[in-house]
């Protein structure tokens, strides 16, 4: 139980600091602490990520950083995709899922390390599909921007259902590329999408028969909430480059462990 609490707090903290990494760490954390497979860990991971992301999104909402229309669009397109992902997860062998998960982790680690210096100050927003109107402060909605955000949401939803991840590792870089939003707004918006899609995916997993033990589930979710609360205080006191580089090292280490697990399988 102490290990479960520690890892849950770590997941919540990473989710709050990056808006992207908590979900991909939740499943490996549960596999390590509980000895579960990807299929067993995914529903609990989704619950913890949804709860932690909801707390972070609420805090961002209070600061006026959440772009709720963009988040709602991505979530609406992500929920059908998450249902497909849940169905696919029940059809694939556990070793294949673990190997696929490790591959996703390596991609995320690579992007986090080499993109660590590409903060909002490095972008001028020119050519962005989703641009903020200076006169209103809101995103300008055009067919191209709607289609791009819908595609991001659908792909995020499928990965969420398939692997039990939050999907922020897709949403955050996508919003950085597609929009001229600042990093705090991107993280807050990502957290709202994660909360909605992860919550829906968790419900879908339970609907399909998932029934993890109650005590580890509650402990992990509570610890993730505590980690999220602490990270939202820290996020304004740490340099984004330091956070990204540290996150990349952590994720790469988890990826290697997951690959060993898949091979030993």
């Amino acid at each position: 139980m102490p290990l479960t609490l520690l890892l849950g707090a770590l997941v919540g903290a990473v989710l709050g600091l990056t808006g992207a990494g908590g979900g991909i760490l939740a499943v490996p954390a549960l596999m390590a602490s509980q000895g579960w497979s990807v299929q067993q860990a995914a529903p609990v991971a989704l619950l913890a990520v949804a709860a932690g992301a909801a707390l972070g999104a609420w805090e961002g909402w209070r600061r006026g950083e959440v772009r709720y229309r963009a988040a709602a669009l991505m979530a609406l397109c992500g929920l059908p995709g998450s249902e497909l992902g849940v169905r696919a997860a029940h059809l694939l062998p556990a070793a294949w899922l673990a190997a696929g998960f490790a591959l996703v982790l390596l991609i995320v680690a690579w992007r986090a390390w080499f993109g660590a210096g590409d903060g909002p100050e490095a972008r001028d927003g020119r050519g962005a599909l989703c641009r903020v109107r200076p006169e209103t402060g809101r995103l300008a909605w055009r067919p191209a921007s709607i289609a791009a955000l819908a595609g991001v949401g659908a792909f995020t939803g499928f990965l969420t259902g398939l692997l039990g991840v939050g999907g922020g590792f897709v949403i955050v870089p996508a919003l950085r590329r597609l929009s001229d939003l600042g990093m705090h707004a991107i993280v807050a918006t990502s957290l709202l999408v994660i909360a909605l899609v992860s919550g829906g995916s968790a419900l879908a997993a339970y609907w399909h028969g998932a029934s993890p033990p109650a005590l580890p589930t509650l402990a992990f979710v509570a610890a993730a909430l505590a980690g999220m609360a602490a990270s939202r205080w820290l996020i304004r006191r740490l340099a984004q480059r330091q956070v990204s580089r540290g996150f990349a090292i952590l994720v790469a280490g988890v990826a290697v462990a997951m690959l060993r697990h898949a091979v030993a399988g």
Side-chain angles (χ1 to χ4, degrees):
M1 187 59 69
L3 180 59
T4 300
L5 292 172
L6 177 62
L7 293 176
L10 175 63
V11 166
V14 172
L15 179 62
L17 287 172
T18 66
I24 59 175
L25 295 178
V27 169
L30 287 165
M31 293 174 68
S33 63
Q34 302 296 322
W36 293 344
S37 67
V38 174
Q39 291 94 331
Q40 292 171 314
V44 179
L46 288 170
L47 278 178
V49 169
L55 179 62
W58 176 76
E59 191 266 349
W61 188 293
R62 288 173 53 222
R63 296 179 180 272
E65 296 169 343
V66 175
R67 302 294 170 156
Y68 59 88
R69 291 183 178 88
L73 173 62
M74 287 187 282
L76 284 174
C77 295
L79 288 173
S82 71
E83 173 66 18
L84 293 176
V86 169
R87 291 178 180 273
H90 283 79
L91 298 176
L92 294 174
W96 288 20
L97 283 178
F101 204 111
L103 177 61
V104 168
L105 288 173
L106 289 174
I107 294 172
V108 172
W110 184 85
R111 290 182 64 92
W113 181 269
F114 289 102
D118 298 334
E121 67 280 357
R123 303 176 297 127
D124 59 12
R126 288 181 297 182
L129 286 176
C130 308
R131 303 192 67 180
V132 176
R133 294 183 182 273
E135 64 274 15
T136 63
R138 295 182 176 180
L139 289 173
W141 290 93
R142 297 176 297 172
S145 61
I146 293 173
L149 291 176
V152 171
F155 183 61
T156 299
F158 179 76
L159 287 180
T160 299
L162 180 67
L163 299 175
V165 299
F169 64 91
V170 174
I171 300 168
V172 169
L175 287 179
R176 292 179 68 183
R177 181 176 294 274
L178 295 173
S179 76
D180 58 351
L181 293 171
M183 195 60 191
H184 289 306
I186 288 174
V187 169
T189 303
S190 172
L191 288 174
L192 180 55
V193 180
I194 291 169
L196 294 172
V197 176
S198 296
S201 299
L203 290 176
Y206 281 93
W207 178 263
H208 287 287
S211 56
L215 184 58
T217 299
L218 292 175
F220 194 77
V221 171
L225 286 171
M228 168 61 73
S231 70
R232 298 308 289 170
W233 178 82
L234 282 172
I235 192 172
R236 300 179 185 278
R237 294 164 174 81
L238 295 175
Q240 186 63 37
R241 183 182 182 86
Q242 294 174 339
V243 172
S244 296
R245 287 283 170 92
F247 173 63
I249 294 171
L250 175 62
V251 171
V254 174
V256 172
M258 289 286 290
L259 281 174
R260 291 181 59 187
H261 176 83
V263 172

